[in-house]
Amino acid sequence: MKLPRLPLYTKILIGLLAGVVVGILANQLGFSDFVSNYIKPIGSAFIRLISMVVVPLVFASLLVGTTSLNDIRKLGRIGAKTVAYFLCTTTIAISLGLFLANVFRPGVGLSEEAQTRLIQNSSEQAGAPTETAVKRPTVKDILLNIIPTNPVQAFVEGRMLQIIFFALLTGICLSLIGSERSQPVIRFFEAINEVMVQMVHIIIKIAPYGVFALISAVIADFGLSILFLLLKYSAVVIAGLALHVTIVYSLAIRIFSKQKVRTFFKGIRPAQLIAFSSGSSSATLPVTMECTEKDLGVSREICSFALPLGATINMDGTALYQGVSAVFIAQVYGMGLTVTQQLIVVLTATLASIGTAGTPGAGVITLAIVLKSIGVPLEGIAIILGVERILDMCRSMVNVTGDASCAVVVASTEGELLVPAEAEAGVG
Ligand code: ASP
């Protein structure tokens, strides 16, 4: 079927809505197996295609980005602004999550029967994620793991933080050796970068079909009964995410940039929808880069630097979710959290969200770090697994929005924010 000439966002939205309808029908009429055998693979193919681009794109674009910010002082300034923005918005996100969870107390007042059912249900579903969560990484591991002992292994295993570390260092060293030596290498990676961007242009054409397939498969599988029990908790997480996006990012764009808030949200929509349907900010990165450069007018240098970094370490949605979840699980177990414990949540959830990979379900694993730090039973994670998938989709959408907002703010303060029309002419 050939869709008529519509903007990309509209096509993806149509794909998403059609996916919701097919998913609900499959769930109700009992043809979920058909969806998972014949429709889901289209979604998986789409995700594999964009994931394929991520490692070479991140390496080439960060390396080229670092060398093109050829003045080390400028690189340091942009790096400091980017990291400061990430840390501030992440802290706000967790605080907002904690505030909402304390006000609405989603885990308080469950009947004993509901509580038993949840805990029973969770032990049936616990399986792998809880086991993995128990083998949680420590903060020390997260920090040490940034340094690859073997860069080739980092590439093979797709370890993003290590790839970023190696790319930044290589870029800095290329700027330090003479240009006669460095130019051929830089030109080579510039070409690789162009090729990857071109590949994204092609892959993105099938995004509406990919999104359709992914959403219909999720909804076909999604049991609704557990949702009801966890409704208040899910509603608090989703409301928190919505508030964070509409208040924090809008204010940041309004205060620190010359861009209209509407232009920002309009430009980033395709990336948001892909993050929502894939549940992965890493896989969405190529699309986030395309939207941020082409539609939001952020210079390629800043996009190449801030976005790969953001997709790996900036996870506001995940941090907010971890804040709400920690309080919710504590409430279900009848534990009250003191102010000190909640401050520990702010600190550990910031670190945990930095250490969270931008892949589906990664946030639920690093949630273990947060729970452990305040003495809440890790088994509690299993209680929320029933709604994990849908919340993962929502928080991934917030994660990519946060990355793009950072790029716009940093570009604006550096005088590198073009008006979108100009940018579009440049990208062609
Ligand atoms: N799925 C999220 C992301 O890719 C990470 C998480 O699980 O919170 O952004």
Side-chain angles (χ1 to χ4, degrees), residues 279-282 315 318 356-364 388 392 395-396 399:
S280 169
S281 43
S282 250
M315 308 251 170
T318 304
T356 304
T359 51
V364 82
E388 159 55 18
D392 189 20
R395 62 184 192 251
S396 306
N399 291 345

Side-chain angles (χ1 to χ4, degrees), residues 167-319:
L168 288 178
L169 219 53
T170 312
I172 292 172
C173 294
L174 274 171
S175 311
L176 294 177
I177 63 173
S179 72
E180 200 186 307
R181 297 268 192 94
S182 62
Q183 273 315 311
V185 181
I186 296 173
R187 271 206 297 276
F188 172 78
F189 281 106
E190 272 169 358
I192 299 268
N193 197 19
E194 290 289 328
V195 172
M196 292 306 135
V197 170
Q198 191 55 44
M199 221 178 262
V200 175
H201 282 315
I202 298 170
I203 298 169
I204 213 169
K205 296 211 160 60
I206 62 163
Y209 305 99
V211 167
F212 163 78
L214 290 168
I215 290 291
S216 57
V218 169
I219 299 206
D221 283 351
F222 197 57
L224 290 180
S225 57
I226 191 83
L227 181 68
F228 189 68
L229 274 180
L230 293 172
L231 203 60
K232 202 166 163 196
Y233 156 73
S234 316
V236 171
V237 175
I238 293 173
L241 294 174
L243 284 176
H244 188 71
V245 170
T246 46
I247 299 177
V248 179
Y249 298 146
S250 302
L251 277 180
I253 299 283
R254 186 162 298 170
I255 296 172
F256 298 110
S257 88
K258 290 180 214 78
Q259 190 156 72
K260 287 207 180 87
V261 174
R262 254 191 77 204
T263 312
F264 172 75
F265 282 111
K266 201 169 159 211
I268 196 65
R269 283 183 310 194
Q272 284 180 325
L273 289 184
I274 291 177
F276 180 74
S277 51
S278 66
S280 169
S281 43
S282 250
T284 311
L285 178 65
V287 184
T288 318
M289 289 178 84
E290 163 115 354
C291 295
T292 311
E293 186 179 340
K294 200 172 129 206
D295 300 318
L296 304 182
V298 175
S299 70
R300 182 165 288 185
E301 284 74 28
I302 306 259
C303 279
S304 312
F305 184 81
L307 295 174
L309 204 61
T312 312
I313 66 170
N314 181 43
M315 308 251 170
D316 295 350
T318 304

Side-chain angles (χ1 to χ4, degrees), residues 17-31:
L17 295 177
V20 170
V21 173
V22 171
I24 292 176
L25 288 176
N27 188 275
Q28 296 301 312
L29 306 178
F31 62 93

Side-chain angles (χ1 to χ4, degrees), residues 348 390 393:
T348 47
I390 189 85
M393 292 157 74

